[in-house]
Amino acid sequence: MAEIADGIRIVEPVQEHFESYQKACEKMRAYLSDETINDPVGKRESKGFIFAMDSFRVGSQEEFTAKIVDFYKNKRECEATGQPLNRRNGPELFYFVVKGDEIIGSVNARPQPMDVFDVENGLKTCEKWHKFSAETGVRVTTSTVLLHEHKGKGYAGEIKKQLFDKLHEQGIDEVAATAEADNERSNKAQNKLVENYGGYSYSFSGLNPETGRVINYNRYVVNTDTSGRSKDLYKNNKNLAEMTIENTAKMQGYKSLEEAEASLK
């Protein structure tokens, strides 16, 4: 794995990436339009990334600087506006994935409002970005995309490790990644992260507003401390918040969290 990961880095966009970015976009569009490639889930998920989106196409160095370099620099530094949190008005930490001098994908982290499934499963809000959606709480979601020819080569684990190290340095302790239940590659990768660093998962279903089709999802909450020192905080599918509550109950003299809850009824 060390050999496979050699040369893989995640980097912030800079002006020198212009030509490599154009080539990555061309490769992504060719992959999406190639009917001989039978990868419906991968194609469906890739359509939401900048390599495939018309609004992020660039024809000049100046366009690249404005649409990509400056855009994501401003996203890192943006402040809460009081408007409902969405991808346009919220912060985002965005990195190109490069191998040597070639852009082969991207990885990002951004806040999203917590939903009912997060609340039911005890996900804790991200303090760093909590102000962007204080009423609901905030989860940090991560997404990774690789160009088709670089999938299945063992890069994902190294990419996420580098991302987690950057997030942990900024005080982001947990991330939540959502994968469609039928995407075996993504689910396998997320399970591996939980196994390596600690975390837990839960499942839910949602209605695709465009197709009306019900889609089943798995959401993986993963600890960002890649040193392994925090891994034991996650046991028996419990997250840090739940364990903290349980430990507090025991400090108050209860034998278990269930006993403390029963005393309140």
Side-chain angles (χ1 to χ4, degrees):
M1 181 59 70
E3 245 181 70
I4 291 176
D6 276 352
I8 297 295
R9 296 174 295 123
I10 68 171
V11 297
E12 295 179 21
V14 294
Q15 292 182 357
E16 289 74 16
H17 289 140
F18 169 56
E19 291 185 3
S20 185
Y21 174 75
Q22 282 190 312
K23 291 177 181 177
C25 291
E26 290 171 4
K27 290 181 179 180
M28 178 63 81
R29 288 192 286 272
Y31 154 70
L32 291 173
S33 63
D34 190 339
E35 296 181 357
T36 67
I37 299 176
N38 183 24
D39 185 20
V41 175
K43 288 184 176 182
R44 187 166 66 243
E45 292 186 340
S46 295
K47 288 179 180 178
F49 288 90
I50 66 171
F51 303 111
M53 297 172 68
D54 288 342
S55 59
F56 283 97
R57 289 194 184 191
V58 297
S60 67
Q61 180 75 64
E62 291 72 21
E63 270 193 305
F64 177 73
T65 299
K67 285 188 174 183
I68 309 299
V69 178
D70 290 347
F71 175 76
Y72 282 112
K73 181 178 184 294
N74 292 335
K75 294 284 277 183
R76 291 172 182 276
E77 301 168 356
C78 80
E79 295 293 333
T81 62
Q83 299 297 314
L85 176 63
N86 58 47
R87 192 162 191 175
R88 288 188 176 277
N89 64 26
E92 182 174 347
L93 302 177
F94 177 90
Y95 304 92
F96 283 136
V97 178
V98 300
K99 183 174 173 60
D101 295 326
E102 177 189 3
I103 293 174
I104 65 170
S106 67
V107 64
N108 73 341
R110 62 188 178 89
Q112 287 186 328
M114 288 169 58
D115 58 31
V116 63
F117 307 110
D118 299 324
V119 174
E120 289 175 352
N121 287 278
L123 182 66
K124 63 177 183 177
T125 189
C126 170
E127 293 297 336
K128 176 181 175 66
W129 285 331
H130 180 73
K131 62 185 178 182
F132 285 90
S133 189
E135 290 186 3
T136 64
V138 168
R139 72 170 179 270
V140 177
T141 183
T142 67
S143 300
T144 305
V145 64
L146 287 171
L147 298 179
H148 182 67
E149 61 264 38
H150 295 284
K151 293 178 180 178
K153 295 185 177 181
Y155 296 159
E158 176 61 23
I159 293 166
K160 281 298 175 67
K161 181 181 183 303
Q162 291 185 32
L163 176 66
F164 289 177
D165 287 342
K166 291 180 182 294
L167 298 181
H168 197 67
E169 288 174 1
Q170 298 191 45
I172 298 174
D173 298 325
E174 290 181 338
V175 298
T178 304
E180 294 185 17
D182 60 353
N183 189 333
E184 294 183 12
R185 183 168 52 225
S186 291
N187 283 282
K188 182 178 179 181
Q190 294 301 327
N191 271 310
K192 187 67 174 178
L193 292 172
V194 170
E195 179 183 326
N196 287 343
Y197 306 129
Y200 62 104
S201 64
Y202 44 97
S203 301
F204 60 97
S205 299
L207 191 67
N208 186 318
E210 295 180 0
T211 65
R213 185 170 66 94
V214 174
I215 301 178
N216 297 317
Y217 298 95
N218 296 319
R219 182 166 291 159
Y220 298 86
V221 180
V222 185
N223 174 34
T224 62
D225 181 2
T226 64
S227 70
R229 291 190 294 269
S230 302
K231 185 177 179 180
D232 287 342
L233 293 173
Y234 298 81
K235 295 179 180 178
N236 300 321
N237 211 36
K238 294 179 180 179
N239 69 353
L240 180 57
E242 183 179 352
M243 293 184 68
T244 300
I245 295 171
E246 185 173 52
N247 290 336
T248 301
K250 289 180 178 179
M251 289 174 63
Q252 296 297 322
Y254 297 102
K255 294 180 180 179
S256 66
L257 180 58
E258 291 74 16
E259 182 179 313
E261 291 175 340
S263 71
L264 299 175
K265 295 178 180 179

